Amino acid sequence: MVTFNDIAADLERQAIELPSWAFGNSGTRFKVFGTPGTPRTPEEKIADAAQVNRYTGLAPKVAIHIPWDAVDDYAALRSYANDLGVELGTVNSNTFQDDAYKFGSLTSSDPATRRKAVDHHLECIDVMHRTGSQDLKIWLADGTNYPGQGDIRSRQDRLHESLQEIYDGLGDDQRLVLEYKFFEPAFYHTDVPDWGTSYAHVSALGPKALTCLDTGHHAPGTNIEFIVAQLLRLGKLGSFDFNSRFYADDDLIVGSADPFQLFRILFEVVRGGGYDVGSPVAFMLDQCHNIEDKIVGQLRSVLNVQEMTARALLVDRDALLAAQNDNDVLGANGILMDAFYTDVRPHLAAWRESRGLPADPIAAFKASGYQERIVAERAGGVQAGWGA
Amino acid sequence: MVTFNDIAADLERQAIELPSWAFGNSGTRFKVFGTPGTPRTPEEKIADAAQVNRYTGLAPKVAIHIPWDAVDDYAALRSYANDLGVELGTVNSNTFQDDAYKFGSLTSSDPATRRKAVDHHLECIDVMHRTGSQDLKIWLADGTNYPGQGDIRSRQDRLHESLQEIYDGLGDDQRLVLEYKFFEPAFYHTDVPDWGTSYAHVSALGPKALTCLDTGHHAPGTNIEFIVAQLLRLGKLGSFDFNSRFYADDDLIVGSADPFQLFRILFEVVRGGGYDVGSPVAFMLDQCHNIEDKIVGQLRSVLNVQEMTARALLVDRDALLAAQNDNDVLGANGILMDAFYTDVRPHLAAWRESRGLPADPIAAFKASGYQERIVAERAGGVQAGWGA
Amino acid sequence: MVTFNDIAADLERQAIELPSWAFGNSGTRFKVFGTPGTPRTPEEKIADAAQVNRYTGLAPKVAIHIPWDAVDDYAALRSYANDLGVELGTVNSNTFQDDAYKFGSLTSSDPATRRKAVDHHLECIDVMHRTGSQDLKIWLADGTNYPGQGDIRSRQDRLHESLQEIYDGLGDDQRLVLEYKFFEPAFYHTDVPDWGTSYAHVSALGPKALTCLDTGHHAPGTNIEFIVAQLLRLGKLGSFDFNSRFYADDDLIVGSADPFQLFRILFEVVRGGGYDVGSPVAFMLDQCHNIEDKIVGQLRSVLNVQEMTARALLVDRDALLAAQNDNDVLGANGILMDAFYTDVRPHLAAWRESRGLPADPIAAFKASGYQERIVAERAGGVQAGWGA
Amino acid sequence: MVTFNDIAADLERQAIELPSWAFGNSGTRFKVFGTPGTPRTPEEKIADAAQVNRYTGLAPKVAIHIPWDAVDDYAALRSYANDLGVELGTVNSNTFQDDAYKFGSLTSSDPATRRKAVDHHLECIDVMHRTGSQDLKIWLADGTNYPGQGDIRSRQDRLHESLQEIYDGLGDDQRLVLEYKFFEPAFYHTDVPDWGTSYAHVSALGPKALTCLDTGHHAPGTNIEFIVAQLLRLGKLGSFDFNSRFYADDDLIVGSADPFQLFRILFEVVRGGGYDVGSPVAFMLDQCHNIEDKIVGQLRSVLNVQEMTARALLVDRDALLAAQNDNDVLGANGILMDAFYTDVRPHLAAWRESRGLPADPIAAFKASGYQERIVAERAGGVQAGWGA
C-alpha cells in the first residue's frame, strides 16, 4: 500500500506552466465576452499568473504567445516576471492570424508565405534566447476546408522542409515541440492531425524535436493514455497542453469533463517515467475561460492536476503488477480505482500548510482583494484577447 | 424506371432560401478573414443573394438575422429585395451576443434577462409582419460549460414558458421553428440539443410550432435521414438548414462533405411528402464561407441541392418497394445507388436553358463582371460579419 | 452542507435489478470465452444473482429474458427465487435470434412475421402474470444494414401498430418500457435509435408505456444526464439499463469507464425525483462480463451504483441553487465536484455493518467458498449464453 | 481533361484480393444467420471466390485465414485454386479464438502464451511458403477491457519482441503487414489502435514490415485519405482492407456507406503512386455479408472499387494542381467533384465487353445458375463461419 506520506516528497517537484492567454478574453466564433479586470498587457497577464503560483506553489512559469505577448524589450519582461516569482516559459508561435496565412503557412504552396512563416519561427527562437525559454511550441493551424483544395502529400513534404529549417535554427538547449490537433480551424484536413504525424516529423528532425500532446485534440473515443505511454516509450513526449473537453477542442478546465481520464493519463505519465526527476516532459495548461473567472479558473486547474497527480502516485504499482500478471481483471482494476477514489484533498491541504502555503488557495486568493483591485485599476484600455 | 423527363416538372417548385449572413465574413474563434467585395449593409447582402437567384432560379428568398440585418425601415428593405427579384424570408433571432445573455436567455434564471429575450422575439415577430416573413427561427445558444453551472431541469421549464409567450405572439400565418444543436457555443450542456427536445417543446406549443433541422447539428454518426422521416411522420418538420460537416458544426457547403448523405436526406424528404406541392417544409441554407468565394459558394450550394433533389426524384420507388418487400437487400440498395450515380448535370443544364437560365450558372456569373464590380465599389466601410 | 448521516436513510430504498444473462457467458462476434462455474440453467443464474443480494442487500430482483430463461413452470421458478430471497423482475423479449426476424420483427413488412413477433410479446405478458413482473422491456434490434434496404417511414408506422397491440395486452399493473439504441446489430438504420423516437412512441401509446434508458446506447458525446432530466420532466422515464462504455455498446461494468458521468446521471435522477419514494423509475443493470468474474463483476456493479448514489445525494442542493442563480460558474461546479470527490466508501462500509451486511461484500463473497463450490458442482452440461 | 480512354489501360492492372471468410457466415454477437448454399470447406469458399473473378476479372487472389482455412495439403489447395483461375493470397493469422489468448497473445505477460502465439505465426509463414503467398497479415485483437487490467507500456515492449521474432522468420520475398484497429474486441485499450502505433512498430522491424489500413478501423471523423497519403509518403503502406462503416467496424460492402470517402481514398492512392505499376500496395476486401447474398455482395464490392478507381483516375490532376496553387478553393474542389459525379458505369460496361467480360457481371452471375446449384449441392455439413 502506498500512503500519502510516501508521495509527499514527489509532489514537491510538480510544476505546471500557465498560458498567458488564459488570463485574456476568449470565446467562440459566436461571441467573446469581456470581464472586468481582464489584463490589457503582457505584464498584467504575467501579474495574474504570478498570483496562481503565489497561492499554490505549482505554477512557476508563464508561457507566452507571439505576437499576442510581443514586447520591445524581452529582457525587461523577463525581469518583471522574475520579480513576481515566475519565469517565462514556452514560446508559442502564431501562423494563423495574418492574412498571408489564409491558405496555409509552413505548408503553403507559395514560397514567400513559407518564408514568412519560417522567419516568424526563427524570430520566436530569438525571443527564446532573450526570455530564457527552453521550448518553441508549434501548433500548426494549417489545413483545408474542402476536398481537393490542397495537395495533402506535397503539403507534408513542404512541412518537413519548413520544420527542418526551424529545427536547424534551435540553440543547443532549445527544443521544438510539435503539437497535433484533430481539426479546427480547418474542417476537411489538418496538416498535423494526429500523434503519428507529429511523431513521424519529429523523428525525422532529430533529438531536439518532440511531440506536444494537447488533451483536447483527439477524435472522439481516443484512448489518450495509450498515446502517452507510447510516446514515452518512443522517447518523444515533449510536453502536455492540459485542458478538457466534452465534444471538440472545448478548452475547458483540466479535469472538469472527465476526471477519471485525467487520472489515467497521469498514471501513465508516472508509470512511464514522465514524472521522474529529470524527465523531459513539460506540463502546461492550454485553456479558455470564456465565461468563468480566469484567475480562479487557473487556480482550480493547477489544483486539479496536483490532486490527480497525487492519486496517480498513490496507485500501489507492485500490487497492480501482480494482479495484472495473474490476469485478475477486477482485482487489477480495483487497485487503480482505489487510488482514484481516495480523497486526497485534506492531505494536500495539510501538505500545503506545512510548506507555508494556504490550505485553501482559492479561498486565500479570494480573500486577498487582488481581484477587486484589478477590476478597479484596469479601467480603460483594450482587454487582451486572441485578436481573432 | 424514372427518367429525367418524369421529374422535370417537379424541379420547377424547388426554392431554397439563402442566409444573408453567408455573404458577410465569417470564421473561427481563431480568425475571421476578410475578402474584397464583402457587403457592408443588409442591402448589399440582399443584392448578392439576388445574383444567386438570377443565375439559378432556385433562391427566391433571403433569410435575415436580427440584429445583424436590423434596419429602420423594413418596408423599404422589402421593396429593395422585391425590386431585385427576391423576397425576405425567415427572420432569425439572436440571443447569444448581448452581454446580458452570457449565462442564458430564454432559459435564464434571471427574470429580467428572460423578459429581454422574449421581447426580442416579439420584436422579431413585428419585423416579420413588415417583411412578410412566415417563419421565426429560434436557434437557442443557451447552455452551460461546466457540470453544475446551471439546473438543467428548471432551464427546460423556463424555456417552455418563454417559448409559450413567443408562440402566443405569432400571427395567424406565422410559424415558430425551433432549431436544435448538439453543442457550441456551450460545451457541457445545450438546452435544445437534439430533435427529441425540439419535438417535445413544439408539440407542447401547438400547430404553428415546428422543428428546424440543421444538417450540421448532430452527434457523430447520427442517421439524419431517419430524423427527417420521423419528423415528417409526426407532422413536425418545419424547415431545413442545409450545410455540411466533417467534424462539428463546420458549416461547409451543402453536399461537400458527404454527398451520399445529402442524397439520402432528400430521398426521405421526397418519400415522406416533404417536397410535395403544399408541403410545409421550408428549405434554407445556413453556411459559412470562411475562405472561399461567397457568391460562388452559394451558387454551388443551391446547385448541389438541385442536383441531389433530381437524383432523389429519379429513384424508382415502385421497384424499390418491391425489392424491399422481397427482402432483396442488395437489389433494393442497388436501385437507390443507381439514382445516386446517375449524372444529372447535363440534364439539368438543358433543363435550365429551356427555362431561360444559363446552362452553367457559375460560369455565367463569373462572366458577368459582378464580382469585379463589387470589389471596386465596396471600398471603405465595415464589412458585414457576425459581430462576435 | 449535507452529511452522510443525512442520506443514510435514503440509501435504504436502493434496489437494483440484476440481469440473469450477466451470469451466463457473453462475448463479441470474435469469441465467447467460457468460464468454470458458469450457470447452465435459469435456476443457477438466479442462485448466483441471489448471492449478490445476500452480500449487499442491493439487488432484490432478477430480470429474465425469454426464451433464454424460458421454463415450463414459472410459478416454480418464482418460488425458487423467493426461497433465495429475490424476486423475478422485468421480462425481456427477444425478437432478434429467430431466423424469421432476419429482416425485422415488429417492423417487418411481412404480416406473418409481425404476427409472430407480437405474439411473442403477448406470451411474455403471460409470463409476467405468472412471475409477478411489472415491466415488459422491449429492446428492438430491428433495423437495416444498407440504405434502401427498408422503408424507414413505413417501418415506423408498422412499429406503432405492433406496439399498440402489445400495449393493449398489458394488465392493469403492468408497464411496457421501450429501449432505444444508437446502432447494433443493425449498421445503417435502427428503428428505435434515440430517446426522441422512444418518447414519440410511448407518448402515442399511453400512460403505461415508458422509455428505458440504457447508458451505453448513445452517440459519442451525448449528454445522457440531460436526457434523464428531460424524460423525468416529461414523465416518461421508466427504467435504466446501467452499464458503461468507451466506444460503442461495450456493456462494461457500470461506472468503470466514466465514473463522473454516472455521478451526473444519478444526480439528475435525484434532482428530478427519480429516486424519491414511489418513483416509477426502475434501476437495472445490463452488462456483459466477457473476461472477468461474473458474480464479483455484479457485486462491483451494484456497489458502484450505491457509492455514486451516495455521492449524488451528498450534493448540497441549496448551496448549488444559490450559486447557480448567482451565475457563479466555478462555485456551482465546485459544489458538485465536492460531493463527487468525497470518499463515501468508509461510510458505506459502516452503514452496511450497522445493517447486518458485510463491510466488504466482495471480500465476504470470496471468503464464502461459493465460487469454488459452483466450479466443482457445475461440471458438464451446456453453459448458459446468448445462443447467438 | 482526362477521358475514359486515357485511363482504360490503367484499369487493366486492378486486382482486388477476396477474403475467403466473406463467403462463410458472419454476424454480430446477437446472432449469426445462416444462408442456403454457404460453403462448408475452404475449397467451396475458393470456388465461390473464383466466380467473382470469372465475371469481373478483378479478383485474381483469395486471402485465407488460419485456422479457419487450415488444410492438410496446402499444395493441393493451391492447385485447386489455380485450376479455378485464382491464386491463394495473404495469409491471416488468428490469435483471438483460442482460450489461451483470453488476456492477450503477442503481448501476453505469460511467456508460454507469447511462445504459442509467435509459433502460430511461424506456422503461418510455413503455410505461405506452400501457398506462394507474399503477405502475412497480423490483425492483433489484443487489448484490455478495464483500466488497470494490463500494463499498456510493457505490452508494447513485448509486442515488439514478438513481432521481431516473426519478422525474422519471414522469407526473402515475404512481408509482414500489421493492421491497426480502433477498438473491438477489446473495449478499453487495444494494443495496435492506430496507424501511428503500427508505423512505429513496422519502422522498428525493417523494410519487409508494412502497415495494413482497414478502412473501418478508425475513430469517428478520422480523415482516412490523409493517412493513406502519409503512409505512402513514409513508404509504409503495405495493404488495404476495404469495407465500409457507419458506426464502428461494421464491415459493410466497400463504398456503400460513404462513396465519396472511398473516392477520396482512391484518389490519394493514385496521387501517391499506390496504383502505379510495381506499387507495393495490395488491395484486399475484408467484409461481412451478415444478411445479404455473399457472392453478389463480393461482386458488388469489387465493382464498387473499380468504378471508384476509374473516377479517381479521371481527376484532371494538372488542372487540379493549378487551381490548388492559385488558392482557388471552389475551383479545385470542383475539379475533384467533376470526376466523382461522372457516371463511369456505361464506360466500364463497354470496357468489360471489349475484354470478353460480361457488361453486367452481377446479372451474368445471376443468370448462370451457380447460386441455385450450390444451394442444392451444399446440403448437410456445417456451414463455414468464424467459429466464435
Side-chain angles (χ1 to χ4, degrees), chain A residues 28-39:
Chain A
T28 68
R29 60 178 171 148
F30 295 105
K31 176 67 178 175
V32 175
F33 291 101
T35 330
T38 297

Side-chain angles (χ1 to χ4, degrees), chain C residues 137 177-180 198 210-214 239-241 284:
Chain C
K137 188 168 75 184
V177 291
L178 181 61
E179 193 166 337
Y180 58 92
S198 176
L210 298 150
T211 292
C212 173
L213 186 159
D214 183 303
S239 58
F240 276 99
D241 267 7
M284 296 181 283

Side-chain angles (χ1 to χ4, degrees), chain B residues 151 188 194-195 225 271, chain C residues 151 157 188 194-195 225 271:
Chain B
D151 185 58
Y188 162 58
D194 52 24
W195 78 266
E225 58 269 28
R271 161 64 184 90
Chain C
D151 185 56
D157 296 336
Y188 161 58
D194 52 24
W195 78 265
E225 58 270 29
R271 161 67 183 90

Side-chain angles (χ1 to χ4, degrees), chain D residues 305-321:
Chain D
V305 176
Q306 184 184 42
E307 291 173 15
M308 216 53 96
T309 301
R311 291 187 185 94
L313 289 166
L314 283 174
V315 174
D316 185 339
R317 285 172 53 195
D318 293 335
L320 182 63
L321 186 60

